[in-house]
Amino acid sequence: MENENLYTFENPAYRKTFWHTSSHVMAQAVKRLWPEVQLAIGPAIDEGWYYDFDAPFSFTPEHLAKIEAEMKKIVKERIRVERSEKSREEAIAWAEANNEPYKKELIEDLPEDAVISFYTQGEFTDLCAGPHLDHTGRLRHNGFKLTKSCGAYWRGDSNRKMLQRIYGIGFPSKDELDAYLTAQEEALKRDHNKLGRELEFFTTVEEIGQGLPILLPKGARVIQTLQRWVEDEEQKRGYLLTKTPLMAKRDLYRISGHWDHYLDGMFILGDPMDEEKECFALRPMTCPFQYQVYLNRARSYRDLPMRLGETSTLFRNEDSGEMHGLIRVRQFTISEGHLVLRPDQLEEEFKGCLELAKYCLDTVGMLENCTFRFSQWDPARAGIKYEGTPEQWEEAQRVMGQILDHLGVEYSIGIDEAAFYGPKLDIQYKNVFGKEDTIVTIQIDMLLAQKFGMEYTDADGQKKIPYIIHRTSLGCYERTLAYLIERYAGALPLWMMPTQVRVLPITDRAHDYARALSEKLNALNIHAETDCRSEKLGYKISEAQLQKIPYMLVVGDRDIENGTVSVRTRKGEDLGAMTPDAFIAKCLAEIASKSKEV
């Protein structure tokens, strides 16, 4: 490799190449050990790599240990990696001769003018676009780990054969690998899919189905708190609250374009092919519904901007393999909004949307871990995924880029990540395992208003078409709850916690005093409960701490006599005795400030 100083693991491109080569070393090890195993695909991913195999047996931890040992041998052999090209006929003949039917299918699906490249290291050759490192010794024999194996449908299609996927991770040194594995152990402790169930925030039931979680009282309380706060904040900023239906006839989605571009992602009620009967669909988004609010009567330039907000329940027919706890679900609730405005108001209103989103994310403690992506269209998919002309898209992206630059937003560019009707700013967040998802979007739309016949009378008396901004304030509440559980390891800040105070009477004589305290706290919207069980105080305190309850009020005979409470925290701190009024003032101040301290 030329100029090796440029090839460092900190460079994302080199890191991907490092992991891609690792996937080939793993596949070579598998073929050495079990030549009958057939190869599917093996890409680098955001963290590490995977390879899909068709094996006549199930990979066990013992198998993974053997593969790791063989990989170490291949790394130590420092085998050169060489690229070659074949014609389509030669490539298919290679796949047939080597009994690799999955590779053959991939080759046959390539465009006619595609360059068909292969990479060879020793006795192992694989169909691959590359790039790869120049020899296997660039990896480190003690710097990688195979992390798990699981099932994976061929090409992600549940109607195709179930293959076996092996995941791996690697680094240039053992110390970096050890640090990563330690971080993963901590991530497992914080994983909302595990911790959220243990703390009884949510559950799932097989009879209800994948991607349809049940929010238990604790989770429901957190989301209720967030929804009320966001709705109040939006009202302060001039938003008008709407409440629209959960479904509509296909006619509405045809106007918006969702019927053509999003049909597979919708839950359909009726036969979508039968034009003689009514056909409905559960809504995957709220925009065409909220447009009807604008269309309720004629509008003038004085009515703009019109900011419409709604706590919307949406439905999306995600693939079963994509479901994950509260992060990827089929029914969810979102802080959705649409702003209808004049072109000259676009930058100021976009700025307001961004400021609101950043305020919300910062208040809940997530902003510092967010990144920004300017999601653009792919001209090659014009008329397929995207509506509008190239000129309209270039103008929308030019305007949005100018706005982002004026606002000083640091962003990456995501090609083919735009909505079908316009570019967007995606605010990205990673879960504890490093998987990135979009938490908030702000989209510029110069197309749909015209499709819906949305007009306004301008100051010059002429009818004009408004622009629309599609946006969320805090995004999907279920996903946000998942991230908050992981961010705070279940110990959410006081203002969000479903139970904020637990009163613990030491003796039966203190029961009435304890219950009266709880009633007083609840009357002031401080969520409190009383634990009057006949258990030892130490056990009650320990259990409250395990449930992440911020404050415990221990009350006994002396507290009754003195009119005090003994305050303890979930961190194990003893704050001593104080009057109930002093404790209430402390709580109310902490809640009002929305402190992120835990």
Side-chain angles (χ1 to χ4, degrees):
M1 297 173 69
E2 297 180 4
N3 196 355
E4 289 191 31
N5 290 333
L6 296 177
Y7 295 87
T8 64
F9 199 70
E10 289 69 30
N11 180 344
Y14 177 81
R15 191 162 59 244
K16 285 266 188 180
T17 303
F18 188 96
W19 285 334
H20 197 175
T21 302
S22 300
S23 77
H24 276 222
V25 169
M26 183 175 77
Q28 182 179 12
V30 169
K31 293 291 281 187
R32 279 187 178 184
L33 293 167
W34 305 284
E36 70 276 18
V37 172
Q38 294 172 330
L39 304 175
I41 57 172
I45 53 179
D46 288 344
E47 286 197 352
W49 69 88
Y50 70 77
Y51 211 112
D52 289 345
F53 301 98
D54 189 353
F57 56 86
S58 296
F59 288 113
T60 65
E62 290 73 24
H63 287 106
L64 298 191
K66 289 181 181 179
I67 297 169
E68 279 189 17
E70 192 64 34
M71 289 176 68
K72 290 179 181 179
K73 293 179 184 178
I74 295 170
V75 170
K76 290 179 179 179
E77 290 171 16
R78 298 175 64 85
I79 305 170
R80 293 208 62 82
V81 181
E82 298 178 335
R83 183 182 182 279
S84 61
E85 295 179 5
K86 297 182 188 296
S87 68
R88 182 177 298 272
E89 293 74 19
E90 291 172 331
I92 291 174
W94 168 87
E96 292 175 341
N98 288 277
N99 189 29
E100 297 290 1
Y102 300 100
K103 299 296 183 182
K104 180 182 177 182
E105 181 179 325
L106 292 172
I107 294 165
E108 291 174 338
D109 287 349
L110 289 172
E112 285 297 325
D113 58 348
V115 174
I116 305 176
S117 58
F118 291 77
Y119 282 81
T120 299
Q121 51 200 53
E123 81 289 354
F124 177 78
T125 297
D126 199 358
L127 169 73
C128 185
H132 285 278
L133 304 180
D134 58 341
H135 64 80
T136 62
R138 297 287 180 191
L139 310 181
R140 293 295 178 266
H141 75 280
N142 60 358
F144 60 83
K145 176 75 175 174
L146 302 187
T147 55
K148 67 175 180 178
S149 63
C150 62
Y153 290 112
W154 170 231
R155 305 186 92 165
D157 184 347
S158 59
N159 295 314
R160 306 294 296 274
K161 186 168 184 178
M162 175 70 79
L163 306 178
Q164 293 183 76
R165 176 171 295 176
I166 299 177
Y167 285 91
I169 188 69
F171 296 91
S173 71
K174 184 177 185 301
D175 287 345
E176 289 171 281
L177 174 64
D178 289 344
Y180 172 84
L181 294 176
T182 299
Q184 288 300 102
E185 289 178 8
E186 178 62 26
L188 280 172
K189 296 176 186 176
R190 290 174 174 262
D191 179 12
H192 88 278
N193 213 8
K194 175 178 179 291
L195 187 56
R197 295 173 193 270
E198 291 174 351
L199 293 174
E200 297 186 344
F201 279 93
F202 76 100
T203 189
T204 51
V205 177
E206 180 63 29
E207 290 78 9
I208 291 178
Q210 278 188 304
L212 298 169
I214 295 174
L215 292 173
L216 298 173
K218 290 182 181 179
R221 174 70 78 176
V222 176
I223 288 183
Q224 180 190 58
T225 298
L226 294 174
Q227 287 177 356
R228 287 175 172 175
W229 163 60
V230 169
E231 287 180 355
D232 288 346
E233 189 60 39
E234 288 180 344
Q235 184 171 334
K236 292 176 188 175
R237 299 175 187 236
Y239 281 80
L240 304 174
L241 185 65
T242 68
K243 189 170 182 59
T244 56
L246 299 181
M247 66 178 77
K249 296 193 295 185
R250 63 183 151 205
D251 308 62
L252 184 73
Y253 303 115
R254 278 180 168 157
I255 297 171
S256 67
H258 291 102
W259 197 255
D260 293 328
H261 295 277
Y262 207 79
L263 183 61
D264 290 343
M266 298 165 69
F267 288 103
I268 308 300
L269 307 177
D271 183 353
M273 300 298 111
D274 188 346
E275 297 292 337
E276 299 301 317
K277 295 181 180 178
E278 281 191 328
C279 181
F280 289 78
L282 297 177
R283 64 181 185 185
M285 66 291 295
T286 314
C287 44
F289 295 83
Q290 283 198 322
Y291 297 163
Q292 309 310 310
V293 177
Y294 180 88
L295 290 166
N296 186 52
R297 62 175 174 82
R299 306 291 176 180
S300 82
Y301 70 97
R302 295 186 181 90
D303 296 315
L304 306 182
M306 176 182 284
R307 307 182 188 101
L308 303 173
E310 182 166 337
T311 301
S312 302
T313 298
L314 305 179
F315 306 85
R316 296 187 182 174
N317 191 11
E318 302 277 7
D319 291 336
S320 60
E322 295 293 320
M323 300 300 104
H324 177 60
L326 296 176
I327 290 179
R328 185 74 65 174
V329 293
R330 286 173 168 155
Q331 176 184 314
F332 55 94
T333 306
I334 193 169
S335 57
E336 194 161 18
H338 297 87
L339 291 79
V340 188
L341 46 104
R342 305 191 308 266
D344 62 286
Q345 297 170 324
L346 181 60
E347 182 164 347
E348 188 64 24
E349 292 303 311
F350 191 98
K351 178 182 178 182
C353 293
L354 180 57
E355 287 177 346
L356 175 58
K358 289 173 73 173
Y359 165 76
C360 290
L361 291 168
D362 183 48
T363 302
V364 300
M366 292 170 55
L367 182 60
E368 62 188 23
N369 293 321
C370 288
T371 57
F372 298 84
R373 183 181 72 196
F374 181 5
S375 294
Q376 303 181 0
W377 81 322
D378 180 356
R381 302 185 69 186
I384 303 171
K385 178 180 176 181
Y386 301 104
E387 296 199 353
T389 66
E391 292 76 19
Q392 288 173 315
W393 274 93
E394 291 304 318
E395 174 64 10
Q397 292 184 171
R398 181 193 68 78
V399 170
M400 186 165 179
Q402 181 175 292
I403 291 172
L404 293 176
D405 291 341
H406 284 176
L407 298 179
V409 178
E410 294 184 12
Y411 57 83
S412 61
I413 292 177
I415 301 298
D416 199 29
E417 296 289 347
F420 71 82
Y421 48 76
K424 56 194 175 93
L425 177 68
D426 289 323
I427 303 181
Q428 305 292 106
Y429 192 91
K430 290 183 179 181
N431 68 11
V432 288
F433 296 106
K435 172 69 170 63
E436 184 177 276
D437 281 298
T438 301
I439 189 95
V440 167
T441 65
I442 306 172
Q443 308 171 11
I444 291 179
D445 174 7
M446 299 181 179
L447 298 177
L448 292 190
Q450 186 167 12
K451 295 183 72 170
F452 277 89
M454 298 167 68
E455 299 178 333
Y456 67 94
T457 303
D458 207 352
D460 60 5
Q462 299 296 310
K463 296 286 187 182
K464 296 185 180 176
I465 303 297
Y467 287 173
I468 299 172
I469 294 177
H470 306 239
R471 49 99 274 177
T472 53
S473 301
L474 195 59
C476 168
Y477 286 105
E478 289 83 357
R479 182 175 291 180
T480 298
L481 175 59
Y483 287 141
L484 291 174
I485 291 170
E486 295 181 349
R487 161 75 172 81
Y488 295 105
L492 307 184
L494 178 69
W495 71 276
M496 291 187 231
M497 279 299 290
T499 301
Q500 296 163 324
V501 180
R502 181 172 288 177
V503 186
L504 308 177
I506 298 174
T507 66
D508 291 350
R509 294 184 299 276
H511 284 185
D512 289 344
Y513 185 71
R515 291 191 182 99
L517 278 172
S518 287
E519 289 175 5
K520 185 173 183 178
L521 290 166
N522 281 305
L524 294 167
N525 287 323
I526 299 172
H527 309 315
E529 59 188 31
T530 305
D531 185 350
C532 290
R533 294 175 301 164
S534 299
E535 299 284 358
K536 291 183 178 180
L537 178 62
Y539 177 82
K540 291 182 178 181
I541 291 173
S542 177
E543 188 178 71
Q545 288 174 326
L546 287 173
Q547 293 179 14
K548 317 294 184 182
I549 296 173
Y551 290 110
M552 287 140 273
L553 303 185
V554 180
V555 295
D557 292 341
R558 182 176 297 177
D559 294 294
I560 296 171
E561 183 180 338
N562 297 332
T564 58
V565 294
S566 298
V567 185
R568 299 180 65 92
T569 74
R570 60 187 166 194
K571 295 179 181 178
E573 302 164 314
D574 186 347
L575 303 185
M578 62 179 71
T579 65
D581 287 345
F583 173 74
I584 287 170
K586 170 181 171 59
C587 268
L588 290 176
E590 193 174 337
I591 292 169
S593 70
K594 293 186 170 51
S595 169
K596 294 189 280 285
E597 292 297 320
V598 296

Coordinates of all heavy atoms in Angstrom, one line a residue, residues 47-86:
E47 N -20.1 -1.3 12.6 CA -19.1 -1.7 13.6 C -18.7 -3.2 13.3 O -19.5 -4.1 13.6 CB -19.6 -1.6 15.0 CG -19.7 -0.2 15.5 CD -19.8 -0.1 17.0 OE1 -20.0 -1.2 17.7 OE2 -19.7 1.0 17.6
G48 N -17.6 -3.4 12.6 CA -17.2 -4.7 12.3 C -17.7 -5.2 10.9 O -17.7 -4.5 9.9
W49 N -18.1 -6.5 10.9 CA -18.5 -7.1 9.7 C -19.4 -8.4 10.0 O -19.5 -8.8 11.1 CB -17.3 -7.6 8.9 CG -16.6 -8.8 9.6 CD1 -16.9 -10.1 9.4 CD2 -15.5 -8.8 10.5 NE1 -16.0 -10.9 10.2 CE2 -15.2 -10.1 10.9 CE3 -14.8 -7.7 11.1 CZ2 -14.2 -10.4 11.8 CZ3 -13.8 -8.0 12.0 CH2 -13.5 -9.4 12.3
Y50 N -20.0 -8.9 8.9 CA -20.6 -10.2 9.1 C -20.4 -10.9 7.7 O -20.1 -10.4 6.7 CB -22.1 -10.0 9.4 CG -23.0 -9.5 8.3 CD1 -23.4 -10.3 7.3 CD2 -23.5 -8.2 8.4 CE1 -24.3 -9.8 6.3 CE2 -24.4 -7.7 7.4 CZ -24.7 -8.5 6.4 OH -25.6 -8.0 5.4
Y51 N -20.7 -12.2 7.8 CA -20.7 -13.0 6.6 C -21.9 -14.0 6.7 O -22.0 -14.6 7.8 CB -19.4 -13.8 6.3 CG -19.1 -14.0 4.8 CD1 -18.0 -13.3 4.2 CD2 -19.9 -14.8 4.1 CE1 -17.8 -13.5 2.9 CE2 -19.7 -14.9 2.7 CZ -18.6 -14.3 2.1 OH -18.4 -14.4 0.8
D52 N -22.7 -14.2 5.6 CA -23.8 -15.1 5.6 C -23.3 -16.4 5.0 O -22.7 -16.4 3.9 CB -25.0 -14.6 4.9 CG -25.6 -13.4 5.7 OD1 -25.4 -13.3 6.9 OD2 -26.5 -12.7 5.1
F53 N -23.6 -17.6 5.6 CA -23.2 -18.9 5.1 C -24.4 -19.8 5.0 O -25.3 -19.7 5.8 CB -22.2 -19.5 6.0 CG -20.9 -18.7 6.3 CD1 -20.8 -17.9 7.4 CD2 -19.9 -18.8 5.3 CE1 -19.6 -17.2 7.6 CE2 -18.7 -18.0 5.5 CZ -18.6 -17.2 6.7
D54 N -24.3 -20.7 4.1 CA -25.3 -21.8 4.0 C -24.5 -23.1 4.4 O -23.7 -23.6 3.6 CB -25.9 -22.0 2.6 CG -27.0 -23.0 2.6 OD1 -27.3 -23.6 3.6 OD2 -27.7 -23.1 1.5
A55 N -24.7 -23.5 5.7 CA -24.0 -24.7 6.2 C -24.9 -25.8 6.6 O -26.1 -25.5 7.0 CB -23.2 -24.2 7.5
P56 N -24.5 -27.0 6.5 CA -25.4 -28.2 6.8 C -25.4 -28.4 8.3 O -26.0 -29.5 8.7 CB -24.7 -29.3 6.1 CG -23.3 -29.0 6.0 CD -23.2 -27.5 5.9
F57 N -24.9 -27.5 9.1 CA -25.0 -27.6 10.6 C -25.1 -26.2 11.1 O -25.0 -25.2 10.4 CB -23.7 -28.3 11.1 CG -22.4 -27.6 10.7 CD1 -21.9 -26.5 11.4 CD2 -21.8 -28.0 9.5 CE1 -20.8 -25.8 11.0 CE2 -20.6 -27.3 9.1 CZ -20.1 -26.2 9.8
S58 N -25.5 -26.1 12.4 CA -25.6 -24.8 13.1 C -24.3 -24.4 13.7 O -23.7 -25.2 14.4 CB -26.7 -24.9 14.1 OG -28.0 -25.2 13.5
F59 N -23.9 -23.2 13.5 CA -22.7 -22.7 14.1 C -22.9 -22.5 15.6 O -23.8 -21.8 16.0 CB -22.3 -21.4 13.5 CG -21.7 -21.5 12.1 CD1 -22.4 -21.0 11.0 CD2 -20.5 -22.2 11.8 CE1 -21.9 -21.1 9.7 CE2 -20.0 -22.3 10.5 CZ -20.7 -21.8 9.5
T60 N -22.0 -23.1 16.4 CA -22.1 -23.0 17.8 C -20.9 -22.2 18.3 O -20.0 -21.9 17.6 CB -22.0 -24.4 18.5 OG1 -20.8 -25.0 18.2 CG2 -23.2 -25.3 17.9
P61 N -20.9 -21.8 19.6 CA -19.7 -21.2 20.2 C -18.4 -22.0 19.9 O -17.3 -21.4 19.7 CB -20.0 -21.0 21.6 CG -21.5 -20.9 21.7 CD -22.0 -21.9 20.6
E62 N -18.5 -23.3 19.9 CA -17.3 -24.1 19.7 C -16.8 -23.9 18.2 O -15.6 -23.9 17.9 CB -17.6 -25.6 19.9 CG -17.8 -25.9 21.4 CD -19.1 -25.4 22.0 OE1 -20.1 -25.2 21.2 OE2 -19.2 -25.2 23.2
H63 N -17.8 -23.8 17.3 CA -17.4 -23.6 15.9 C -16.8 -22.2 15.7 O -15.8 -22.1 15.0 CB -18.7 -23.6 15.0 CG -19.3 -25.0 14.8 ND1 -20.4 -25.4 15.4 CD2 -18.8 -26.0 14.0 CE1 -20.7 -26.6 15.0 NE2 -19.7 -27.0 14.2
L64 N -17.3 -21.2 16.4 CA -16.7 -19.9 16.3 C -15.3 -19.9 16.8 O -14.4 -19.2 16.3 CB -17.6 -18.9 17.1 CG -19.0 -18.7 16.6 CD1 -19.7 -17.4 17.3 CD2 -19.1 -18.5 15.1
A65 N -15.0 -20.6 17.9 CA -13.7 -20.7 18.5 C -12.7 -21.3 17.4 O -11.6 -20.8 17.3 CB -13.7 -21.5 19.7
K66 N -13.2 -22.3 16.7 CA -12.3 -23.0 15.7 C -12.1 -22.0 14.5 O -11.0 -21.9 14.0 CB -13.0 -24.2 15.1 CG -13.0 -25.4 16.1 CD -13.7 -26.6 15.5 CE -13.8 -27.8 16.5 NZ -14.5 -29.0 15.9
I67 N -13.1 -21.2 14.2 CA -12.9 -20.2 13.1 C -11.9 -19.2 13.5 O -11.1 -18.8 12.7 CB -14.3 -19.6 12.7 CG1 -15.3 -20.7 12.2 CG2 -14.1 -18.5 11.7 CD1 -16.7 -20.2 12.0
E68 N -12.0 -18.7 14.7 CA -11.1 -17.7 15.2 C -9.7 -18.2 15.1 O -8.7 -17.5 14.7 CB -11.4 -17.3 16.6 CG -12.5 -16.3 16.8 CD -12.7 -15.7 18.2 OE1 -11.7 -15.9 19.0 OE2 -13.8 -15.2 18.5
A69 N -9.5 -19.4 15.6 CA -8.1 -20.0 15.6 C -7.6 -20.1 14.2 O -6.4 -19.8 13.9 CB -8.2 -21.4 16.2
E70 N -8.4 -20.5 13.2 CA -8.0 -20.6 11.8 C -7.7 -19.2 11.2 O -6.8 -19.0 10.4 CB -9.0 -21.3 11.0 CG -8.5 -21.7 9.6 CD -7.4 -22.7 9.7 OE1 -7.4 -23.6 10.6 OE2 -6.5 -22.7 8.8
M71 N -8.5 -18.2 11.6 CA -8.3 -16.8 11.2 C -6.9 -16.3 11.6 O -6.2 -15.6 10.9 CB -9.4 -15.9 11.7 CG -10.7 -16.1 11.0 SD -12.0 -15.1 11.8 CE -11.5 -13.4 11.3
K72 N -6.5 -16.7 12.9 CA -5.2 -16.2 13.4 C -4.1 -16.8 12.5 O -3.1 -16.1 12.2 CB -5.1 -16.7 14.8 CG -6.0 -15.9 15.8 CD -5.9 -16.4 17.2 CE -6.8 -15.6 18.1 NZ -6.7 -16.0 19.5
K73 N -4.3 -18.1 12.1 CA -3.2 -18.7 11.2 C -3.2 -17.9 9.9 O -2.1 -17.6 9.4 CB -3.6 -20.1 10.9 CG -3.6 -21.0 12.1 CD -4.0 -22.5 11.7 CE -4.0 -23.4 12.9 NZ -4.5 -24.8 12.5
I74 N -4.3 -17.6 9.3 CA -4.3 -16.8 8.0 C -3.7 -15.5 8.2 O -2.9 -15.0 7.3 CB -5.8 -16.7 7.5 CG1 -6.3 -18.1 7.2 CG2 -5.9 -15.8 6.3 CD1 -7.8 -18.1 6.9
V75 N -3.9 -14.8 9.3 CA -3.3 -13.5 9.5 C -1.8 -13.6 9.6 O -1.0 -12.9 9.0 CB -3.9 -12.8 10.8 CG1 -3.1 -11.6 11.2 CG2 -5.3 -12.5 10.6
K76 N -1.3 -14.6 10.3 CA 0.1 -14.8 10.5 C 0.8 -15.2 9.2 O 2.0 -15.0 9.0 CB 0.4 -15.9 11.6 CG 0.0 -15.4 13.0 CD 0.3 -16.5 14.0 CE -0.1 -16.0 15.4 NZ 0.1 -17.1 16.5
E77 N 0.0 -15.8 8.3 CA 0.6 -16.3 7.0 C 0.9 -15.1 6.1 O 1.6 -15.2 5.0 CB -0.3 -17.2 6.3 CG -0.4 -18.6 7.0 CD -1.5 -19.5 6.4 OE1 -2.0 -19.2 5.3 OE2 -1.9 -20.5 7.1
R78 N 0.3 -13.9 6.4 CA 0.5 -12.7 5.6 C 0.3 -12.9 4.1 O 1.1 -12.6 3.2 CB 1.9 -12.1 5.8 CG 2.2 -11.7 7.3 CD 3.6 -11.3 7.5 NE 4.0 -10.1 6.7 CZ 3.8 -8.9 7.1 NH1 3.2 -8.6 8.3 NH2 4.1 -7.8 6.3
I79 N -0.9 -13.5 3.8 CA -1.2 -13.9 2.4 C -1.5 -12.6 1.6 O -2.3 -11.8 2.0 CB -2.4 -14.8 2.4 CG1 -2.1 -16.1 3.2 CG2 -2.7 -15.3 0.9 CD1 -3.3 -16.9 3.4
R80 N -1.0 -12.5 0.4 CA -1.3 -11.3 -0.4 C -2.7 -11.4 -0.9 O -3.2 -12.5 -1.3 CB -0.3 -11.2 -1.6 CG 1.1 -10.9 -1.1 CD 1.9 -10.2 -2.2 NE 1.3 -8.9 -2.5 CZ 1.5 -7.7 -1.8 NH1 2.3 -7.7 -0.7 NH2 1.0 -6.6 -2.2
V81 N -3.3 -10.3 -1.1 CA -4.7 -10.2 -1.6 C -4.6 -9.5 -3.0 O -4.1 -8.4 -3.1 CB -5.6 -9.3 -0.6 CG1 -7.0 -9.3 -1.2 CG2 -5.6 -9.9 0.8
E82 N -5.1 -10.2 -4.0 CA -5.0 -9.8 -5.3 C -6.4 -9.7 -6.0 O -7.2 -10.5 -5.9 CB -4.1 -10.7 -6.1 CG -2.7 -10.8 -5.6 CD -1.8 -11.8 -6.3 OE1 -2.4 -12.7 -6.9 OE2 -0.6 -11.6 -6.3
R83 N -6.5 -8.6 -6.7 CA -7.8 -8.3 -7.5 C -7.7 -8.8 -8.9 O -6.6 -8.7 -9.5 CB -8.1 -6.8 -7.4 CG -9.4 -6.4 -8.1 CD -9.6 -4.9 -8.0 NE -10.9 -4.5 -8.6 CZ -11.2 -4.4 -9.9 NH1 -10.2 -4.6 -10.8 NH2 -12.4 -4.0 -10.3
S84 N -8.8 -9.3 -9.4 CA -8.9 -9.7 -10.8 C -10.3 -9.5 -11.3 O -11.2 -9.2 -10.5 CB -8.5 -11.2 -11.0 OG -9.4 -12.0 -10.3
E85 N -10.5 -9.5 -12.6 CA -11.8 -9.3 -13.2 C -12.1 -10.5 -14.1 O -11.2 -11.1 -14.7 CB -11.8 -8.0 -14.0 CG -11.7 -6.8 -13.2 CD -11.7 -5.5 -14.0 OE1 -12.0 -5.6 -15.2 OE2 -11.5 -4.4 -13.4
K86 N -13.4 -10.8 -14.2 CA -13.8 -11.9 -15.1 C -15.0 -11.4 -16.0 O -15.7 -10.5 -15.6 CB -14.3 -13.1 -14.3 CG -13.2 -13.8 -13.5 CD -13.8 -15.0 -12.8 CE -12.8 -15.6 -11.8 NZ -11.6 -16.1 -12.4

